């Protein structure tokens, strides 16, 4: 139960806050306070805390004391402005804006012009120099925004009425509507409002304000906000703050306007200011991408004084925040006002480039630079790029709003994007502009293409946040949503046709353009020298990776089963193999031998089959040991149930039946079918696999152990070095391991002789019982490697092959977990098993080597956990190795400070 006290402080004047109070005041409120205290021109206002929102959401009513505190702050605001809210002669108007701890662009509500009513609209006109048009336009915007966001009146009805008014006037442009037209529109809007709400549009300004505040609180739980939080992993219980700010107007005429700016290019990180400006407009028009903006530099021509002042403020903000800032501003009749700033969202490339620049500029050190980038960004930079030649000619060019290369079938609605993506298709969502209702489609799509809007439009901001490819403002494209097509340069592209979009260059191609390696992968591959390239990104990545390597305590190994994978992983920085799965060595043209092994009717037949497999396995290991040149290689003895190496039961049964029908000789197939039937298990994942197989099939593990030892000796005798670690899978009891180990040690001693080769024997910890008896198991194991895939499967009792598709969506929806535990380690449950095993294992055998080789080894958050519990290394797929190196470095420094969400 949430208890509130009369004394709780729920409202802060801007002068009372600062940038470090984001938890309490939200990002927007904290930064408005910071700018106020820096002496920048911020319209006066106050912030209602996230705590008030949490209390409201928990109880369904405003907490005690809130109303009185709002009253007091409103009075102070009225005094500061010399105007009263809704005063008929000289009204104070306010905006009511959401602002959570983490930026959620466009996800929650904003209401502008609160305080206007039938009487104060006249006063506003006078205030604006007898500008009736402006006053009535502001009023109709209030009814529209208030109706839609506070009272859930369908927005289309207002838009439809606006279109009607323009049609009656014979124009397409809002600006052609005069004061009388807008006064008429206000009447129509009021009728729409009354029809849907059953009441008149509220004339009492304080009631407008209270309802707007309540609507902002409630918008925290709007469906799109919930979806966005889940996507961005923002906790669901933070709540939003509400900012009540004196209105300033960018729509007072040509000497007014509004814009968004970045202190560096958020796309590439290049130095220099960057932004969009829209004259004679309110802020929402820019962010919504409703009208095409002009580049910010144009402002120098339009209003040099404001432009110079803006540049000056931007330089101050960068110095102050020591990072890329984005800002929203409004110019009201030549006077500049700052409406928002924050450490700006940026693309993955810009994150690296800017972090490097800031080190060069002496603003931050390398630890801080490392803290400001992350593994998810690095992973994005490793995505392929388009490989272009003359065959592909761009049909349109928009703004490269969020980099990447995406191809897919064109769709025009969010719903269709979701539908096709569910069928496994790649889609490109094409819209004139996106709005927050398109979020589902944006998540489902491979890329987003819009015909309107700049780098700061909704589509651009949201796509960048998600790391999705986006081209915005491709205005040669005519989008026709109802007809499900777009036209460009005389060509028509219909739903389902494939296009390719380049989010770096902004180019749009028809058809599917092939892709090539990114520069960053070329750098990791060693084909791009970071000292000699003029590619700023590669230089920055190199510098930060070098620092991460110097800082990290965790070693990074790779999961690789072939020489080729091992070689690539080494180039990517792997310091050994943490998991070599041996099962693929039983497939392909070796199937026949494996069938002989499984079907063997006698010891002799089985021994023969194993003897034939031995040299093949040995050669596999020789290749891997050579590639790894003395780095540790953990080879896991065979794990999956043997029936996986035989044809599926149903298929075999049909083949046998058909062959019998034809009178063919089916003795062999029948034997196979009988074996498959015999081995059939209801729960094969919990059945005869791993160490259990080794204990049941005589000679199987022995053959593998011998192949490993012989390969190590062969490589060593050739002048190389090999450092094998034999790993036993699925151990649950120390006795299992002891049995395998006794036999293995005998073979190893016999093979290794005086070659100097040392072979370690250890175990996977992937059965909960093993974790809980780790102290005993450590007596028999020289190392542990956590198999977090199985440990998650058995820890939760979730079949790893079924549940993600079957019901995880519901668990995610209910917030039972925020992300699949197969993707990111469940710290509380599975993580606890790991902690126990690590502690008890090391207590029994000090210095016990500990690693992890499940999928979690390459997951950024999980890497931090493995660092915390004191593992020695993580092991992951080759492409994840750089990500794990970076995150291991970040885990080691674990500084707190700026956050770039
Ligand atoms: C694991 O269970 O985490 C593991 C690495 O083994 P596999 O995925 O092969 O079962
Ligand atoms: Mg496993």
């Amino acid at each position: 139960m949430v208890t509130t006290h009369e004394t709780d402080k729920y409202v802060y004047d801007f002068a009372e806050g600062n940038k470090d109070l984001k938890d309490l005041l939200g990002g927007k409120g904290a930064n408005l306070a910071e700018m106020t205290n820096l002496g920048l021109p911020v319209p006066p206002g106050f912030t209602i805390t996230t705590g008030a929102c949490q209390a409201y959401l928990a109880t369904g009513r405003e907490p005690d004391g809130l109303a009185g505190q709002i009253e007091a702050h409103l009075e102070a605001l009225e005094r500061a402005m010399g105007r009263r809210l809704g005063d008929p002669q000289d009204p104070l108007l306010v905006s009511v804006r959401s602002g959570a701890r983490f930026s959620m662009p466009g996800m929650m509500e904003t209401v502008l012009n609160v305080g206007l009513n039938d009487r104060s609209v006249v006063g506003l006109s006078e205030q604006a120099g007898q500008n009736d048009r402006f006053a009535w336009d502001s009023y109709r915007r209030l009814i529209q925004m208030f109706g839609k966001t506070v009272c859930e009146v369908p927005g289309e009805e207002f838009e439809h009425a606006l279109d009607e008014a323009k049609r009656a006037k014979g124009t397409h442009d809002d600006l052609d509507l005069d004061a009388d037209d807008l006064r008429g529109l206000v009447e129509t809007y009021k009728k729409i409002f009354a029809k849907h709400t059953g009441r008149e549009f509220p004339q009492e300004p304080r009631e407008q304000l209270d309802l707007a505040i309540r609507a902002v609180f409630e918008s925290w739980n709007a469906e799109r906000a919930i979806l966005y939080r889940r996507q961005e992993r923002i906790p669901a219980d933070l709540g939003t703050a509400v900012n009540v700010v004196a209105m300033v107007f960018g729509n007072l005429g040509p000497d007014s306007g509004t814009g968004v700016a970045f202190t560096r290019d958020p796309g590439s990180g290049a130095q220099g200011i960057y932004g969009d400006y829209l004259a004679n407009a309110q802020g929402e028009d820019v962010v919504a991408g409703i009208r095409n903006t002009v580049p910010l530099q144009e402002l120098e021509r339009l209003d040099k004084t404001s432009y110079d002042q803006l540049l000056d403020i931007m330089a101050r903000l960068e110095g102050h925040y020591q990072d890329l800032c984005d800002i929203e501003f409004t110019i009201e009749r030549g006077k500049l006002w700052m409406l928002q700033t924050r450490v700006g969202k940026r693309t993955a490339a810009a994150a690296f480039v800017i972090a490097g620049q800031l080190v060069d500029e002496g603003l931050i050190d390398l630890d801080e630079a490392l803290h400001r980038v992350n593994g998810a960004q690095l992973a994005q930079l490793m995505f392929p790029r388009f490989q272009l030649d003359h065959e592909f000619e761009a049909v349109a060019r928009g703004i490269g709003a969020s980099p990447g290369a995406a191809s897919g079938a064109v769709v025009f609605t969010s719903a269709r994007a979701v539908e096709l993506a569910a069928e496994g298709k790649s889609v490109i969502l094409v819209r004139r502009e996106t709005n927050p209702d398109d979020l589902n489609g944006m998540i489902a799509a491979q890329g987003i293409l819009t015909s309107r809007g700049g780098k700061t439009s909704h589509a651009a901001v949201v796509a960048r946040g998600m790391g999705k490819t986006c081209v915005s403002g491709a205005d040669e494209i005519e989008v026709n949503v109802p007809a499900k097509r777009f036209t460009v340069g005389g060509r028509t592209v219909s739903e389902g046709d494939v296009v390719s979009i380049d989010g770096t260059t902004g180019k749009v191609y028809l058809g599917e353009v092939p892709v090539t390696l990114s520069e960053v992968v070329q750098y990791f591959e060693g084909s791009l020298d970071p000292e000699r390239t003029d590619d700023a990104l590669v230089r920055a990545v190199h510098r930060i990776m070098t620092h991460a390597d110097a800082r990290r305590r965790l070693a990074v190994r790779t999961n690789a089963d072939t020489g080729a994978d091992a070689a690539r992983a080494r180039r990517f920085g792997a310091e050994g193999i943490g998991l070599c799965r041996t099962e693929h060595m039983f497939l392909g043209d070796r199937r026949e031998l494996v069938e002989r092994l499984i079907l063997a009717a006698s010891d002799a037949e089985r021994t023969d089959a194993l003897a034939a497999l031995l040299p093949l396995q040995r050669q596999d290991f020789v290749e891997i040991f050579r590639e790894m040149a003395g780095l540790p290689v953990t080879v896991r003895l065979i794990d999956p149930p043997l029936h996986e190496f035989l044809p599926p039961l149903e298929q075999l049964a049909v083949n046998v039946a058909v062959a019998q029908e034809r009178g063919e000789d089916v003795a062999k197939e029948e034997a196979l079918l009988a074996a498959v039937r015999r081995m059939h298990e209801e729960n094969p994942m919990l059945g005869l696999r791993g160490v259990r197989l080794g204990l049941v099939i005589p000679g199987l593990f022995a053959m593998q152990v011998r192949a490993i030892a012989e390969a190590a000796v062969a490589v060593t005798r050739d002048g190389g070095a090999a450092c094998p670690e034999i790993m036993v899978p699925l151990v649950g009891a120390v006795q299992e391991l002891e049995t395998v180990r006794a036999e293995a040690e005998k073979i190893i001693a016999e093979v290794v002789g005086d070659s100097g080769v040392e072979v370690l024997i250890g175990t996977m910890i992937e059965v909960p019982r093993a974790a809980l008896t780790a102290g005993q198991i450590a007596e028999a194991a020289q190392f542990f490697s956590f198999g977090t895939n199985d440990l998650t499967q058995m820890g939760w009792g979730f079949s790893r092959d079924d549940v993600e598709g079957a019901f995880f969506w519901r668990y995610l929806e209910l917030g039972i977990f925020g992300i699949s535990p197969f993707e990111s380690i469940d710290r509380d449950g599975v993580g606890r098993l790991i902690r126990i095993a690590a502690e008890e294992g090391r207590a029994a055998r000090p210095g016990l080597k500990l690693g992890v080789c499940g999928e979690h080894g390459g997951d950024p958050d999980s890497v931090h956990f493995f660092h915390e519990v004191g593992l020695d290394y993580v092991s992951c797929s080759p492409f994840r190795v750089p990500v794990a190196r970076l995150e291991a470095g970040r885990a080691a420094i674990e500084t707190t400070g700026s956050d770039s969400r």
Side-chain angles (χ1 to χ4, degrees):
M1 198 181 92
V2 173
T3 50
T4 57
H5 309 282
E6 205 60 48
T7 49
D8 281 347
K9 182 167 167 65
Y10 291 118
V11 186
Y12 286 70
D13 188 88
F14 288 164
E16 293 177 288
N18 66 60
K19 71 175 171 29
D20 300 323
L21 294 180
K22 287 203 195 93
D23 285 340
L24 187 69
L25 304 178
K28 186 175 287 175
N31 288 321
L32 280 169
E34 188 78 8
M35 286 199 292
T36 301
N37 291 322
L38 283 173
L40 302 183
V42 175
F46 55 85
T47 304
I48 302 165
T49 64
T50 52
C53 175
Q54 289 159 10
Y56 175 84
L57 293 176
T59 61
R61 62 177 188 85
E62 283 81 0
D64 294 342
L66 177 61
Q69 293 180 34
I70 292 175
E71 188 65 40
H73 281 267
L74 188 59
E75 278 169 14
L77 180 61
E78 288 175 334
R79 275 198 301 280
M81 298 296 290
R83 290 174 179 159
R84 277 192 313 104
L85 189 70
D87 185 295
Q89 266 83 46
D90 189 15
L92 167 68
L93 304 188
V94 294
S95 63
V96 179
R97 296 165 187 269
S98 60
R101 167 76 180 82
F102 299 110
S103 157
M104 298 169 59
M107 292 303 135
M108 289 178 300
E109 303 300 4
T110 288
V111 187
L112 303 181
N113 304 336
V114 169
L116 271 178
N117 58 22
D118 292 351
R119 294 194 309 148
S120 63
V121 67
V122 180
L124 181 67
S125 170
E126 268 163 39
Q127 232 182 58
Q130 300 304 338
N131 191 339
D132 276 359
R133 186 195 180 280
F134 158 74
W136 287 100
D137 188 42
S138 300
Y139 195 19
R140 72 99 191 152
R141 282 174 190 259
L142 169 65
I143 302 171
Q144 183 166 356
M145 229 185 254
F146 190 94
K148 183 166 175 239
T149 63
V150 181
C151 302
E152 291 172 15
V153 178
E156 312 82 74
E157 297 226 8
F158 294 120
E159 276 149 36
H160 183 68
L162 180 61
D163 286 344
E164 277 297 301
K166 286 192 280 193
R167 212 162 49 82
K169 191 86 181 176
T171 179
H172 290 296
D173 193 343
D174 300 13
L175 295 176
D176 290 336
L177 297 178
D178 63 22
D180 283 340
D181 301 325
L182 291 162
R183 188 182 286 121
L185 198 54
V186 162
E187 285 314 308
T188 313
Y189 275 14
K190 282 196 205 158
K191 287 198 186 106
I192 295 172
F193 185 93
K195 184 177 92 189
H196 283 278
T197 61
R199 60 165 293 184
E200 297 301 314
F201 178 74
Q203 294 290 314
E204 177 52 51
R206 181 61 205 266
E207 188 190 1
Q208 290 175 3
L209 178 62
D210 289 341
L211 290 175
I213 291 169
R214 192 178 272 213
V216 173
F217 284 161
E218 284 174 359
S219 67
W220 175 257
N221 280 335
E223 203 176 316
R224 65 185 187 215
I226 293 173
L227 193 62
Y228 185 85
R229 284 202 292 274
R230 196 175 303 142
Q231 177 81 12
E232 298 290 310
R233 303 198 199 167
I234 296 173
D237 56 357
L238 299 179
T240 180
V242 185
N243 300 290
V244 178
V245 193
M247 280 297 301
V248 288
F249 296 96
N251 53 343
L252 267 173
D255 57 352
S256 303
T258 187
V260 186
F262 294 87
T263 54
R264 297 177 198 229
D265 184 343
S268 69
Q271 274 138 324
I273 61 148
Y274 203 94
D276 304 314
Y277 182 69
L278 196 55
N280 203 4
Q282 280 199 327
E284 297 345 272
D285 301 343
V286 180
V287 181
I290 285 168
R291 271 196 269 155
N292 275 347
T293 53
V294 297
L296 185 62
Q297 281 74 6
E298 278 285 297
L299 181 61
E300 184 169 21
R301 203 175 45 76
L302 297 170
D303 179 352
K304 178 145 175 49
T305 314
S306 296
Y307 182 73
D308 288 345
Q309 192 191 355
L310 183 65
L311 259 50
D312 201 52
I313 290 175
M314 284 164 72
R316 265 187 82 186
L317 286 174
E318 257 225 357
H320 185 71
Y321 283 88
Q322 303 183 332
D323 206 345
L324 159 84
C325 294
D326 74 21
I327 60 170
E328 286 180 29
F329 64 93
T330 279
I331 297 174
E332 181 181 289
R333 293 200 164 136
K335 162 107 180 88
L336 175 68
W337 292 100
M338 305 299 293
L339 298 189
Q340 174 172 321
T341 192
R342 65 182 169 207
V343 167
K345 281 186 194 281
R346 65 206 69 187
T347 62
F352 277 87
V353 171
I354 292 172
Q357 285 166 1
L358 294 174
V359 173
D360 288 337
E361 291 165 26
L363 282 173
I364 60 172
D365 62 14
L366 270 169
D367 272 0
E368 180 61 23
L370 177 56
H371 175 66
R372 287 188 185 188
V373 295
N374 62 50
Q377 291 166 334
L378 184 63
Q380 257 184 51
L381 295 174
M382 293 173 71
F383 289 151
R385 287 188 298 101
F386 283 140
Q387 183 180 10
L388 288 163
D389 52 37
H390 56 278
E391 276 174 52
F392 290 95
E393 205 186 312
V395 290
R397 181 166 195 167
I399 292 160
S402 180
S407 298
V410 163
V411 292
F412 295 91
T413 62
S414 192
R416 189 72 182 135
V418 171
E419 243 170 66
L420 289 187
E423 291 170 17
K425 298 212 172 84
S426 283
V427 298
I428 304 290
L429 177 64
V430 183
R431 308 280 290 158
R432 265 153 55 116
E433 67 257 354
T434 61
N435 64 48
D437 295 329
D438 289 318
L439 190 64
N440 264 322
M442 294 176 78
I443 293 171
Q446 215 63 28
I448 298 124
L449 169 63
T450 70
S451 59
R452 283 164 171 243
K455 234 183 187 167
T456 45
S457 62
H458 175 266
V461 172
V462 174
R464 271 203 298 281
M466 289 180 188
K468 268 248 152 121
T469 303
C470 174
V471 171
S472 66
D475 51 16
E476 296 128 288
I477 287 179
E478 276 288 328
V479 181
N480 187 338
V481 174
K484 298 189 195 164
R485 61 167 186 255
F486 72 75
T487 51
V488 59
R491 289 191 248 199
T492 300
V493 177
S494 305
E495 184 176 282
D497 293 348
V498 173
V499 300
S500 300
I501 58 171
D502 186 329
T504 308
T505 61
K507 290 188 181 169
V508 181
Y509 305 88
L510 300 185
E512 184 170 344
V513 180
V515 288
T516 180
L517 292 185
S518 77
E519 283 88 354
V520 171
V521 170
Q522 291 176 42
Y523 153 65
F524 285 127
E525 288 278 10
S527 54
L528 220 166
D529 181 350
E531 308 293 342
R532 302 173 76 176
T533 174
D534 54 5
D535 186 320
L537 173 61
V538 168
R539 287 203 315 270
V541 168
H542 173 63
R543 192 167 181 196
I544 293 173
M545 289 304 293
T546 308
H547 189 63
D549 286 339
R551 289 301 236 157
R552 68 189 158 89
R553 185 189 58 67
L554 278 175
V556 178
R557 297 194 193 178
T558 192
N559 294 358
D561 317 342
T562 64
D565 274 358
R568 157 165 279 166
R570 263 198 84 185
R571 291 196 296 275
F572 282 9
E575 295 155 307
I577 291 182
L579 176 62
C580 170
R581 291 182 169 102
T582 51
E583 33 280 9
H584 90 275
M585 299 171 182
F586 289 76
L587 298 173
D589 50 11
R590 301 175 189 179
R591 257 185 195 282
E592 204 205 328
L593 283 177
V594 177
E595 280 182 18
R596 266 170 53 198
L597 168 71
I598 299 171
L599 300 178
S602 66
D603 285 353
E605 274 179 35
R606 186 175 48 249
T607 312
D608 273 2
L610 287 168
L613 278 166
L614 175 70
L616 302 173
Q617 289 251 289
R618 185 169 53 221
Q619 189 51 34
D620 295 328
F621 297 131
V622 163
E623 280 165 28
I624 291 172
F625 292 149
R626 283 215 178 102
E627 282 303 341
M628 296 314 282
L631 295 172
V633 175
T634 309
V635 181
R636 182 180 72 187
L637 303 180
I638 188 164
D639 182 19
L642 283 185
H643 69 74
E644 283 197 12
F645 301 96
L646 299 176
L649 180 65
E650 297 81 6
Q651 187 195 323
L652 204 57
V654 171
N655 290 354
V656 169
V658 170
Q660 277 169 339
E661 194 73 10
R662 290 198 194 122
E664 293 168 13
D665 175 12
V666 289
K668 191 163 164 254
E669 283 73 14
E670 276 175 345
L672 198 56
L673 179 60
V676 172
R677 287 221 166 96
R678 203 170 54 241
M679 285 181 207
H680 178 78
E681 292 173 310
E682 289 302 331
N683 292 303
M685 274 303 209
L686 302 177
L688 182 61
R689 54 175 284 221
V691 65
R692 305 161 194 177
L693 264 184
L695 298 177
V696 167
I697 312 256
L700 176 58
F701 275 10
M703 180 276 289
Q704 290 199 292
V705 170
R706 182 174 294 279
I708 295 164
E710 287 181 357
V713 170
V715 169
T716 310
R717 294 238 156 94
D718 278 356
C723 190
E725 302 177 340
I726 293 179
M727 179 153 78
V728 185
L730 225 73
V731 165
V734 66
Q735 293 83 351
E736 291 170 314
L737 182 61
E738 281 168 349
T739 311
V740 173
R741 186 177 162 181
E743 186 185 18
E745 276 177 340
K746 269 198 224 126
I747 297 167
I748 292 166
E750 183 192 312
V751 174
V752 163
D754 59 359
S755 64
V757 168
E758 198 194 346
V759 184
L760 301 187
I761 300 177
T763 180
M764 295 197 67
I765 300 289
E766 54 183 346
V767 175
R769 189 180 188 283
L772 297 172
T773 58
Q776 296 167 17
I777 292 179
E779 303 282 351
Q782 288 169 292
F783 64 88
F784 283 175
S785 177
F786 291 96
T788 47
N789 305 332
D790 272 309
L791 201 55
T792 302
Q793 167 166 262
M794 293 184 234
W796 279 90
F798 283 157
S799 161
R800 59 195 261 198
D801 300 315
D802 303 309
V803 291
E804 287 186 283
F807 63 81
F808 269 23
W809 60 271
R810 183 64 180 146
Y811 273 46
L812 291 164
E813 199 170 79
L814 291 170
I816 293 172
F817 35 65
I819 180 167
S820 159
F822 285 110
E823 202 179 321
S824 195
I825 200 80
D826 151 39
R827 289 177 179 237
D828 298 341
V830 178
R832 179 131 194 267
L833 290 171
I834 294 173
R835 244 180 232 282
I836 291 171
E839 275 166 27
E840 296 189 2
R842 284 224 170 110
R845 183 189 281 257
L848 176 71
K849 199 181 331 185
L850 299 175
V852 57
C853 62
E855 283 307 300
H856 305 82
D859 167 67
D861 279 351
S862 309
V863 170
H864 287 246
F865 173 76
F866 299 134
H867 170 87
E868 264 167 58
V869 294
L871 301 197
D872 296 301
Y873 69 86
V874 294
S875 186
C876 52
S877 62
F879 260 88
R880 288 244 157 187
V881 166
V883 172
R885 283 166 53 203
L886 185 79
E887 289 294 350
R890 298 185 68 230
I893 57 166
E894 207 80 288
T895 35
T896 51
S898 100
D899 75 71
S900 50
R901 268 215 248 202

